[in-house]
Amino acid sequence: MTYRVSFVCTGNICRSPMAEFVFRARVAEAGLEDRVEVDSAGTGGWHEGEGADPRTVAVLRGNGYGAEHTARQFDPSWFDRLDLVVALDTGHLRALRRLAPTERDAEKVRLLRSYDAAAGDDLDVPDPYYGGPEGFDACLEMVEAASHGLLAAVREQVEGRAA
């Protein structure tokens, strides 16, 4: 049975696609690509159908990640098929939990940086959209740092299903 993870930010052109591609690479490195499905979406549809922000693409490709992406808006009906919905900041967390049709679905929503023990109390990944390239680099660093803890948590769930 496939374990499904979706990353969600505001417009699905910066943070969530970055998290999607980084985590997809971690999943592949762990040999779990046949058991874990990864995608992303935005809380809004402003950029639906567009590619990722060129700065996101540059940072991803510059660090060896894929970057082919088409933005889309998160649909509450997806909760039924998703195992984990990963919000990139607390605003997304609140919005997604409000969209959740059931309490069980709301419990599927987690903050990405909650999987990074070094993050402390600052669990938001800041939106780099209105800044310069350094914001995209910082975003990638935060995403990469959290992806290891997230992979450990997902691996535990996947292996628990096989038992």
Side-chain angles (χ1 to χ4, degrees), residues 15-98:
R15 293 173 283 178
S16 58
M18 195 176 290
E20 174 187 350
F21 284 101
V22 168
F23 193 63
R24 187 176 286 139
R26 296 294 92 77
V27 165
E29 290 164 4
L32 296 173
E33 64 267 29
D34 61 331
R35 298 176 68 195
V36 179
E37 183 180 294
V38 183
D39 65 27
S40 65
T43 57
W46 307 280
H47 300 285
E48 204 163 17
E50 297 176 16
D53 184 290
R55 297 165 295 178
T56 298
V57 172
V59 167
L60 284 169
R61 288 192 177 145
N63 286 277
Y65 297 104
E68 293 301 318
H69 175 74
T70 302
R72 62 195 187 137
Q73 183 174 1
F74 188 86
D75 187 312
S77 68
W78 299 348
F79 274 107
D80 191 45
R81 69 172 175 82
L82 293 170
D83 297 289
L84 182 62
V85 180
V86 184
L88 277 289
D89 71 27
T90 52
H92 307 131
L93 178 83
R94 285 190 303 272
L96 289 162
R97 287 187 173 162
R98 279 193 306 269

Side-chain angles (χ1 to χ4, degrees), residues 7-19:
F7 294 92
V8 182
C9 70
T10 305
N12 193 218
I13 61 168
C14 297
R15 293 173 283 178
S16 58
M18 195 176 290

